């Protein structure tokens, strides 16, 4: 599983976190696994478990103050080309299982990247995660620049439309905020992984 590459990258993140804290900054550690490929949800969970367990060990060994770290990672997802369908519930459960297996209780916030997911899919997955997390003592939220910005860029392809952009942005933020509280109600199929058509 590319152990040497994982360890080298996580050591770099640990050094970065320590430097941030040394100068009074809160480190945002960002282990990111690409959604490109045919990997299953199960293999995505396995590699994310490996990566984050190596990350937390490296942070602890470097003396990083864990309560002062924010995790900014991908949502555990099957690869975009994965031929196996998965429900939003299965994807959300895989993410909750990851945190229960490896996240130190001292790390209090995980803020997910969209990784090329639509806002609807990312919000559905995050909302169901928050519903499933039970007593897991971590804030599960979002850091979705692409999922929020891409619809705004599409809106402005014919020219700058500030009033419409403002209305759309507020609408998107309401969706993301509801998902971070577990209150977003996905439409049928939102958040599910659908295999690509052959």
């Amino acid at each position: 599983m590319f152990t040497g590459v994982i360890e080298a990258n996580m050591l770099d993140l640990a050094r970065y976190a320590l430097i941030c804290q040394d100068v009074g900054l809160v480190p945002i550690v960002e282990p990111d696994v690409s959604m490109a490929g045919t990997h299953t949800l199960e293999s995505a969970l396995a590699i994310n478990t490996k990566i984050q367990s190596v990350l937390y060990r490296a942070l602890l060994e470097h003396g990083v103050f864990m309560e002062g770290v924010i995790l900014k990672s991908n949502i555990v997802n099957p690869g975009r080309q994965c031929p196996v369908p998965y429900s939003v519930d299965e994807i959300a459960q895989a993410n909750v299982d990851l945190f229960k297996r490896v996240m130190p209780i001292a790390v209090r916030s995980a803020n997910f990247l969209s990784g090329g997911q639509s806002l609807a899919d990312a919000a559905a997955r995050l909302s169901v995660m928050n519903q499933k997390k039970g007593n897991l003592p971590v804030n599960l939220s979002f850091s979705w620049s692409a999922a929020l910005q891409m619809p705004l860029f599409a809106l402005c392809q014919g020219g700058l439309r500030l009033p419409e952009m403002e209305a759309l942005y507020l609408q998107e933020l309401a969706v993301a905020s509801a998902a971070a509280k577990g209150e977003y109600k996905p439409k049928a199929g939102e958040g599910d992984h659908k295999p690509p058509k052959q």
Side-chain angles (χ1 to χ4, degrees):
M1 275 208 256
F2 310 105
T3 301
V5 173
I6 292 169
E7 289 183 359
N9 280 297
M10 297 309 105
L11 284 172
D12 284 346
L13 277 178
R15 290 185 192 107
Y16 148 79
L18 189 60
I19 291 166
C20 285
Q21 289 184 345
D22 189 51
V23 297
L25 300 173
V26 174
I28 300 173
V29 292
E30 189 172 334
D32 186 16
V33 177
S34 174
M35 288 176 57
T38 59
H39 54 276
T40 64
L41 182 62
E42 294 77 14
S43 61
L45 177 56
I47 193 64
N48 278 275
T49 299
K50 171 72 172 174
I51 288 168
Q52 288 195 28
S53 63
V54 172
L55 170 64
Y56 296 130
R57 186 184 75 229
L59 290 168
L60 288 165
E61 288 176 351
H62 277 72
V64 172
F65 178 65
M66 299 300 280
E67 289 87 341
V69 170
I70 294 175
L71 176 70
K72 181 179 174 185
S73 69
N74 55 281
I75 292 176
V76 176
N77 279 308
R80 283 194 188 96
Q81 302 302 313
C82 176
V84 181
Y86 293 97
S87 71
V88 66
D89 288 296
E90 291 171 311
I91 293 169
Q93 189 62 56
N95 283 274
V96 170
D97 290 346
L98 168 67
F99 290 134
K100 287 182 175 176
R101 289 175 189 170
V102 301
M103 180 174 263
I105 198 167
V107 177
R108 303 314 296 250
S109 189
N111 300 278
F112 293 101
L113 300 160
S114 58
Q117 300 170 95
S118 68
L119 177 59
D121 282 342
R125 292 166 181 168
L126 176 59
S127 192
V128 177
M129 273 184 248
N130 274 302
Q131 294 162 17
K132 288 180 171 289
K133 77 176 186 177
N135 62 359
L136 187 68
V138 61
N139 175 61
L140 301 180
S141 193
F142 62 93
S143 182
W144 296 334
S145 56
L148 296 171
Q149 291 170 354
M150 292 306 157
L152 298 171
F153 294 152
L155 180 66
C156 293
Q157 286 192 351
L160 195 58
R161 299 163 53 187
L162 292 178
E164 292 97 332
M165 287 176 67
E166 179 182 3
L168 178 58
Y169 192 52
L170 290 173
Q171 189 177 19
E172 291 177 331
L173 290 175
V175 167
S177 175
K181 295 183 277 188
E183 296 171 358
Y184 177 71
K185 305 284 189 250
K187 297 184 179 87
E190 282 183 349
D192 294 345
H193 169 73
K194 301 162 196 79
K197 293 180 178 151
Q198 302 297 329

